Amino acid sequence: MGAETVQGLATFIRVVEAGSFTAGARRLGTTPSAISKSIARLEKRLGVRLFQRTTRALALTEEGQAYHERMAPLIRAVEEAEEELRGDHEVRGRLRVTMPADLGRALMPAIAANFAPAHPALVLELSLADRHVDLVREGYDLAIRAGAVADSGLWARPLGSLPLRLVASPAYLAAQGVPADPDALRRHRHVRYLLNGRPYPIRFADGTRIDPEGGFDTDSGEALRLAAVGGLGIAHMLATAVAEDVAAGRLVVVLPDHVLPTVPVQALHAFARAMPLRARRFVEFVAGEVGAWTRPAA
């Protein structure tokens, strides 16, 4: 593989990450015209079209998608090898991370105030989505996930665990009454989180399980929080996701004396044991934040 091919491959990967020739050119410090010519040379060498070009969008062809899946990890490996050889301890490059919206919302103040300013050479791309993305196929470096993780062939690093809370708005509780025990939850309306299309049950630490009646169902943690604040029912959520609402009086903790199990938080990646510095630093940062949320106040 010649130097020109390697350069064309790197350009291809950057264009896919950026979403357009123009954005890719900005990242590489060149022009869209130069990017277009580099991609054209690569396509000619491969004998296939990598992109479907239209006036409105730039999309990968089936061949382009397959090529990206195979080659993106190789480009990352080259960058990581150069990083190690330089002995460069500055976090740099691009880090693509996906995590649930409610967890991302809770982490964003610390990311903006502490993590990003500490690593000015790093470009952080953060996707807040409750769906489980395919890291390799969709080109993500890390997934931060709360809850049990199915065996996916990815490497998992535990980051800690977070408590759950049952919460409802003051208006809902004033109208419907405050549950006195877990069994009373069966007579209430709930805003339910959908996991793989099915409502997530309420489990207590003593083994009690409640399958709540739904008044509003969603697969979005943020929508769940807003529905609870709006008085649609009782919600079962991460404590950190509703901490501000509880502190502000928008939500009230229901059955505070009945213990709910904690939820494990993990980082998933496909780097095996050779996780690059930028990914290690972000994982360490999230682990520190999760630990701070659960650490008793001094």
Side-chain angles (χ1 to χ4, degrees), residues 232-268:
L232 297 186
I234 297 173
H236 182 211
M237 298 192 65
L238 290 174
T240 187
V242 295
E244 290 184 4
D245 295 305
V246 171
R250 292 185 293 267
L251 291 173
V252 176
V253 177
V254 175
L255 298 178
D257 297 329
H258 290 75
V259 180
L260 296 163
T262 58
V263 173
V265 180
Q266 301 177 73
L268 302 183

Side-chain angles (χ1 to χ4, degrees), residues 98-109:
T98 176
M99 67 177 68
D102 53 358
L103 190 57
R105 177 175 171 269
L107 281 169
M108 270 309 301

